[in-house]
Amino acid sequence: MARAPRPLIAGNWKMNGRRAAGLREARKLATRMRNQKQRRCDVLLCPPATLLAPMREALRGSRIALGGQDCHAAASGAHTGDIAAELLADTGCGYVIVGHSERRADHGERSRQVRAKAEAAHRAGLRAIICVGETAAERRRGRALEVVGEQLRHSLPKGCTAASTVIAYEPVWAIGTGLTATPDDVAEVHGFIRDRLRRRFKAEGAGMRILYGGSVKPGNAAELMAVADVDGALVGGASLTAADFWPIVKTCL
Ligand code: PGA
């Protein structure tokens, strides 16, 4: 049997994190990681762009990775306000989130654009965390798998590998709402995603990490992480403080 992928617990700070408080929380996490002997999972923080450089210093020696929350498809150029994957890499990032549902909703990003961003991430040597997930209305109409299948098909570039690509299943209705999908629903969608990844990317698809995201909290993380084909979590609100994020990390350490 193929070895299970090494879990990844990723914190997405979104548009939160003032310098003093944000770095204080990052330092607390870094200290806990440094004191941890067993590390059976990877840990990642994706702060707002304003904190990337100071956070790189705060996390030094902790083996907590740093990531961006979005990137532009181009390597450089006249794109005011955007960040190239190359610039994220240059700042010490190892990952970038692309296609988050808030980008899809707030900025009208379509899957083809998400694919171009994932290609940019790979070009710059970053791991791409590609997000997919259905809305409440789509789930009610019984279209969850169809929607996720379409997003996967169009958002993932050719040549994705287990090392270069992470998938995050985030049902839109569970993000920031306190609602989480039931373990059965999560198992169904993750199993579906695994099947699609295997078919398209063969052994690489079997080894790709599939994260669950949407109101993951210290109280529900262990149950969600125990579901088949859940290889970690993408955590929003509960990643903002070490007090909440560390117990989630501990479920995989
Ligand atoms: P949440 O966000 O944990 O606050 O629901 C998850 C995400 O959007 O990545």
Side-chain angles (χ1 to χ4, degrees):
M1 232 177 88
R3 246 183 52 228
R6 183 177 165 89
L8 168 67
I9 304 291
N12 171 14
W13 282 18
K14 309 189 179 185
M15 204 167 69
N16 302 293
R18 303 244 180 139
R19 191 181 168 94
L23 295 180
R24 193 166 57 233
E25 296 305 317
R27 279 192 206 103
K28 281 189 212 166
L29 280 169
T31 303
R32 290 179 197 192
M33 271 301 270
R34 283 190 206 100
N35 292 336
Q36 190 69 32
K37 284 206 189 70
Q38 294 260 33
R39 293 182 190 149
R40 284 184 286 255
C41 74
D42 295 331
V43 182
L44 164 68
L45 284 178
C46 302
T50 47
L51 284 189
L52 284 170
M55 195 174 282
R56 184 191 59 211
E57 299 311 313
L59 298 178
R60 204 172 274 285
S62 70
R63 289 208 256 160
I64 299 175
L66 190 66
Q69 298 177 6
D70 177 51
C71 67
H72 195 278
S76 63
H79 302 288
T80 303
D82 281 315
I83 304 183
E86 279 75 0
L87 296 180
L88 291 174
D90 189 49
T91 309
C93 288
Y95 292 79
V96 62
I97 300 168
V98 294
H100 190 281
S101 65
E102 286 150 16
R103 302 281 323 169
R104 293 181 190 257
D106 295 354
H107 301 273
E109 286 186 13
R110 311 295 301 264
S111 290
R112 281 171 210 289
Q113 215 175 332
V114 174
R115 182 175 64 205
K117 291 182 176 206
E119 278 165 357
H122 293 161
R123 181 189 66 218
L126 298 178
R127 294 180 155 93
I129 301 180
I130 304 175
C131 303
V132 297
E134 81 286 358
T135 63
E138 287 161 346
R139 176 159 283 270
R140 266 198 310 276
R141 288 191 216 110
R143 294 187 55 225
L145 296 184
E146 181 195 331
V147 168
V148 167
E150 280 300 287
Q151 289 176 339
L152 281 177
R153 192 149 76 88
H154 296 296
S155 306
L156 271 59
K158 283 197 194 106
C160 287
T161 65
S164 74
T165 308
V166 176
I167 307 300
Y169 168 56
E170 299 205 302
V172 177
W173 49 271
I175 296 177
T177 58
L179 302 170
T180 35
T182 64
D184 283 351
D185 288 340
V186 174
E188 183 190 30
V189 181
H190 279 240
F192 170 81
I193 293 173
R194 177 68 68 210
D195 185 58
R196 289 292 169 101
L197 295 176
R198 262 208 207 98
R199 278 194 216 187
R200 186 162 163 202
F201 301 105
K202 313 296 181 238
E204 294 297 330
M208 242 175 242
R209 292 178 287 194
I210 309 174
L211 313 184
Y212 171 77
S215 298
V216 176
K217 304 272 184 266
N220 61 21
E223 183 184 32
L224 289 162
M225 294 307 106
V227 174
D229 283 313
V230 173
D231 309 305
L234 182 54
V235 186
S239 70
L240 291 171
T241 63
D244 282 335
F245 195 49
W246 184 247
I248 298 173
V249 170
K250 286 284 276 182
T251 62
C252 290
L253 278 179

